[in-house]
Amino acid sequence: MTGTLSTGVPGAMAVRQHDDQTRLRRDAAAITALGVTGVQARVITRDGRSLTATSGVADLTSRRPVPRNGYFRIASVTKAFVATVILQLAGDGRLSLDDTVERWLPGVVSGNGNDGRALTIRHLLQHTSGIHDDYPDYTSAENFYRHRHDTYTPEQTVARAMRHRPDFQPGKKWNYSNTGYVLLGMIIQRVTGHPWHQEVRDRIVRPLGLKHTFWPGTSAKLPQPHAETYQRFKPGGPLVDVTEQVGSGTNGEAGLVSTTADLNRFFRALLGGRLLPPTQMAQMKQTVPVGKEFEPLMPGARDGLGIFSRPLSCGGRYWGHEGGDSGWISAVGVTADGRRSVTVSLSGVLVESADDVLRVAQAESKLIDDALCTPPNADRKSAA
């Protein structure tokens, strides 16, 4: 386990920084103690200092240390980028959150009770659309090696979903829908004439100088440095290195590659008011409770438009998003004013039961809570 600590910080600030660093190292180690092979975490303090900690190993063969700013697939954290582009387009007057899906994608959402005329862009953003997800999944090591380079167009993904009846009528309940964000990516292209990832690049990545955030397309490889990630396809089965794969989603529901430093910068800019006008930022923060299935994993969580809020033990709430894909889990949390943030990436999440999943989720949540609640007197007010 390694960590970094800046030097030359005077007096009480040096003590505070040491305490923050110690806490971050401890919480990272607690995650690897649950069977996760590698963890990297980065906190940006209110005065802009960067604290990092790693735990575990980057790969099980060489046992090399986890890189402090390695690349990883951010999976569903991509949704926060897509939502920001949609809200920017709303702020520009190019679409309305109350537009129906049918207006922008005629005939795409139809059949088996699915009706794009009853769905709005807001429903898609907030996971209240009722659209049922139908994604292929790896069932064994052999299946993984056979299909890890498979890709699916947005149209193919939506067509799979349309084989099913909706989970509920639009706006009546909440249930996480990846397909809803595929549709948002399609809407971005229809409105702008450009793929969603190009708009993310031009509107967010380049203006913020996120030099390590990109859409890899159909490439199954990650740039160096990165940790390897592993998966067991059945309890007690062999470990399979699943690092080299396209990923289960690349169409706006997931797909971006990034680093802890870049994700901290993005979320600090977003919550700090640098990416959205006040009206759209207020809309993004209008929340609904998450469904019962997610509540144990995210206690007290409420879903906005592309970001979630969760309670802090020191009072108030924080904002962020999580993502997971084939052995990876990533999570970002930022105080409401955007001034203190934390990003954590887990590689080789070797869970074999629902209880294992819950324990890892709780340890990850504790790392984020501890990072945002220290120093308590400074951050308690900012998170309100």
Side-chain angles (χ1 to χ4, degrees):
M1 177 176 60
T2 63
T4 61
L5 178 62
S6 300
T7 58
V9 183
M13 185 177 293
V15 173
R16 177 183 297 169
Q17 182 165 321
H18 179 269
D19 291 345
D20 285 356
Q21 184 74 57
T22 300
R23 189 175 292 106
L24 190 63
R25 287 174 172 169
R26 180 200 66 199
D27 289 345
I31 295 174
T32 53
L34 296 173
V36 176
T37 59
V39 175
Q40 57 169 313
R42 181 179 299 267
V43 173
I44 306 298
T45 65
R46 290 174 59 80
D47 56 4
R49 291 174 292 118
S50 178
L51 308 174
T52 64
T54 66
S55 183
V57 296
D59 72 79
L60 295 174
T61 302
S62 71
R63 312 293 296 183
R64 60 188 170 88
V66 176
R68 291 188 296 110
N69 202 29
Y71 289 94
F72 54 93
R73 294 186 181 90
I74 71 172
S76 283
V77 179
T78 301
K79 291 179 173 69
F81 289 80
V82 170
T84 299
V85 170
I86 288 284
L87 286 161
Q88 287 179 344
L89 292 172
D92 294 341
R94 301 181 67 179
L95 57 76
S96 167
L97 301 188
D98 296 318
D99 286 346
T100 65
V101 174
E102 181 71 12
R103 173 178 177 179
W104 293 106
L105 303 173
V108 172
V109 177
S110 61
N112 294 315
N114 296 284
D115 186 354
R117 298 169 300 178
L119 285 176
T120 67
I121 291 175
R122 192 186 306 271
H123 288 141
L124 300 180
L125 286 167
Q126 201 154 42
H127 300 291
T128 56
S129 69
I131 293 176
H132 183 85
D133 277 341
D134 181 358
Y135 278 74
D137 195 12
Y138 304 124
T139 57
S140 65
E142 293 76 18
N143 184 260
F144 167 76
Y145 288 121
R146 186 178 304 118
H147 295 290
R148 61 178 171 165
H149 295 103
D150 291 356
T151 59
Y152 302 90
T153 67
E155 292 78 11
Q156 287 173 323
T157 299
V158 173
R160 291 177 67 102
M162 294 302 103
R163 299 173 189 170
H164 304 267
R165 293 192 61 80
D167 294 333
F168 51 83
Q169 291 303 304
K172 299 299 183 181
K173 296 181 181 180
W174 185 95
N175 192 40
Y176 199 84
S177 173
N178 287 295
T179 309
Y181 272 76
V182 176
L183 288 164
L184 289 170
M186 295 170 71
I187 290 171
I188 290 172
Q189 178 146 5
R190 183 61 59 90
V191 173
T192 66
H194 303 133
W196 68 269
H197 50 85
Q198 182 176 328
E199 290 293 318
V200 165
R201 181 195 66 193
D202 294 344
R203 291 171 171 269
I204 300 172
V205 171
R206 285 180 173 171
L208 294 181
L210 306 182
K211 297 181 179 180
H212 305 288
T213 300
F214 64 97
W215 183 69
T218 60
S219 173
K221 297 181 180 295
L222 288 172
Q224 292 290 350
H226 67 263
E228 304 294 305
T229 192
Y230 304 88
Q231 187 173 345
R232 283 193 176 98
F233 291 100
K234 61 181 180 180
L239 289 181
V240 179
D241 187 329
V242 295
T243 309
E244 188 172 316
Q245 59 166 302
V246 173
S248 63
T250 61
N251 295 312
E253 78 280 49
L256 293 180
V257 169
S258 191
T259 62
T260 57
D262 272 12
L263 289 183
N264 275 323
R265 182 177 294 184
F266 165 60
F267 276 90
R268 284 162 63 86
L270 178 61
L271 272 297
R274 294 172 53 194
L275 293 174
L276 292 175
T279 297
Q280 279 66 48
M281 192 71 243
Q283 289 180 316
M284 182 176 251
K285 289 183 173 181
Q286 292 176 359
T287 63
V288 297
V290 300
K292 292 181 180 179
E293 180 182 348
F294 271 69
E295 175 66 24
L297 297 172
M298 304 172 66
R302 296 182 65 88
D303 185 20
L305 305 184
I307 56 174
F308 291 83
S309 80
R310 295 183 62 181
L312 283 165
S313 63
C314 54
R317 302 180 71 85
Y318 72 90
W319 296 90
H321 209 293
E322 299 189 10
D325 187 15
S326 297
W328 298 103
I329 293 180
S330 54
V332 187
V334 60
T335 52
D337 61 2
R339 294 184 62 189
R340 188 174 179 100
S341 66
V342 56
T343 298
V344 57
S345 171
L346 282 56
S347 52
V349 183
L350 306 176
V351 293
E352 297 190 352
S353 68
D355 287 342
D356 290 343
V357 173
L358 182 59
R359 281 190 285 268
V360 171
Q362 290 170 338
E364 173 199 84
S365 295
K366 186 177 188 305
L367 183 150
I368 292 173
D369 187 84
D370 284 348
L372 298 181
C373 275
T374 53
N377 292 334
D379 282 344
R380 185 176 298 159
K381 295 180 180 178
S382 72

